[in-house]
Amino acid sequence: MGEKIAATQFTRADRTRYRQKVRHCVDVFERMLRESQFDSDRPMTGLEIELNLVDDAGDPTMRNAEVLGAIANPDIQTELGQFNIEFNVPPQTLSGTSLVKLEETLRGNLNHAEASARGVGAKLMMIGILPTLMNEHLSIDALTANPRYKLLNEQIFAARGEDICLTIDGDERLHTGSDSIAPEAACTSVQCHLQVSPETFPAYWNAAQAIAGVQMAMGANSPFLFGRQLWRETRIALFDQATDTRSEELKEQGVRPRVWFGERWITSVSDLLEENVHYFPALLPICSEEDPLQMLESGAVPSLAELRLHNGTVYRWNRPVYDVVGDLPHLRVENRVLPAGPTVVDMLANAALYYGLVKVLAEDERPVWSRMSFTVAKENFHAGAKRGIEARMFWPGLGDVPASELVLRQLLPMAADGLSRLGVDSAVSDRLLGVVEQRCLTYRNGAEWQVETVRRLEAEQNLSRPDALRRMTLGYTEHMHSNEPVHTWPVG
């Protein structure tokens, strides 16, 4: 998202050429699937963590350029909003005690980043949606000064032809509008990457889709937006609406949204890329000089730049990623479901649950997607986003059950088995999955802690909603640095 692109104006000819180039890239990619050697010997993983910047009062501060200058770490970059930054974790294996080393590295880098940010009057906050964020913070001036973001904003609004309407019905109701994509910057997430072979990609993607509802239920951490208590993971609804290129008429015609769960199980990674080409017009029709077929026939590995750019503007919750490292192409499943926070250990617990489950489900002789309709998986996803750890969802063999019961009875043992197959040390696995287990037993994840804390501050200290949100936010930032999992945090 943060790749720099020069400001430009697009012509009809640009769009035609780009469409042809994307389709050409798909043809070359299909040939590569048949003929090329993809790097997939080891199950490499990586993380991207998006963070908010706040001031001493807990309000968003538009200072990412100053903060990044102070941090001076190339792995930490800008994001869409001036109150956002993103930390990119280099790929690594999961085996042994790698997750312990990853936790130590993350905490060390984040502590350094926090100290640097404080030097310029800012603090870091890992949370799905910043509770103190209000509509007035999200004007077009809040966008990071990167031409790509300006272009993206212009193209989304050119496609829509009208302002964005945000309507979310949850415990309370939000109805407002925006004349820019700045509300998208309110959504901060953790993206889990898993490198897989072309042959196993469909199974891993299907498995990731099947457990997306469970991920939502266990990891929800975004219950407030613009002062309203909405879904437990409001980020899902907000991101969906804030990047929607469809007018009301196009919605009625059944045009697909660019933030998309999908509509079917797949049998090849090509299914997803072909859907992207067939269903979604270009947002950023920028062509490179590379001829991918000529590159391939010369023995080189094409970057498929247009296909990758187009793929990056279709915001699937589980997205296919093609990349080239060290002259070897590879494929990744990018899991975009989880919110940031509350702590490093909470995020790694969420990641451990995900990696363990998809490993087992992808290798199952009778896959879960053969016993559950895609529509049910989508319903589970939205149930988890709306109700969090209190959600009910369907699972084959169990029927309609509480999410916490599903995880305790069936999915935690399955995840432990999957992590064992990945070579993760049992003590590491037990610790991280134990965090998820305790969330189920206490019925408390990040979203529940936020809601319970605000309710108590309002009821017992007679604080207004804005004051309660600010007090809760400041308390959250203190607990976040303790690295004690959120189910242990005191309420109030």
Side-chain angles (χ1 to χ4, degrees), residues 444-464:
R444 183 176 296 159
N445 56 15
E448 293 305 317
W449 183 87
Q450 290 185 57
V451 169
E452 290 175 27
T453 298
V454 167
R455 284 176 179 168
R456 181 168 295 184
L457 290 169
E458 289 176 329
E460 297 182 4
Q461 299 190 30
N462 294 317
L463 294 183
S464 66

Side-chain angles (χ1 to χ4, degrees), residues 249-379:
E249 292 81 4
L250 291 178
K251 292 178 187 178
E252 290 297 323
Q253 293 170 32
V255 173
R256 278 84 170 174
R258 293 194 90 98
V259 177
W260 201 28
F261 187 80
E263 59 191 18
R264 58 174 175 150
W265 306 117
I266 66 169
T267 58
S268 168
V269 62
S270 298
D271 294 344
L272 303 179
L273 300 179
E274 288 171 0
E275 285 179 349
N276 290 355
V277 173
H278 293 154
Y279 296 153
F280 301 103
L283 281 183
L284 301 173
I286 300 168
C287 289
S288 71
E289 296 301 318
E290 177 187 280
D291 182 330
L293 182 59
Q294 187 178 72
M295 289 278 290
L296 186 63
E297 291 186 338
S298 70
V301 179
S303 68
L304 305 182
E306 293 80 10
L307 181 63
R308 292 167 63 191
L309 177 59
H310 189 62
N311 185 56
T313 62
V314 179
Y315 306 104
R316 296 177 183 272
W317 294 111
N318 285 292
R319 184 156 65 183
V321 176
Y322 166 87
D323 206 351
V324 182
V325 176
D327 293 327
L328 269 180
H330 71 258
L331 291 175
R332 302 195 304 269
V333 177
E334 180 190 20
N335 179 256
R336 301 161 49 81
V337 169
L338 293 164
T343 64
V344 170
V345 71
D346 281 303
M347 291 189 293
L348 289 181
N350 292 336
L353 181 69
Y354 168 72
Y355 289 128
L357 285 178
V358 294
K359 175 67 174 176
V360 170
L361 293 174
E363 296 179 349
D364 198 337
E365 291 183 0
R366 191 182 175 207
V368 65
W369 52 94
S370 70
R371 296 174 285 139
M372 178 168 67
S373 74
F374 194 88
T375 299
V376 167
K378 185 175 181 179
E379 290 171 352

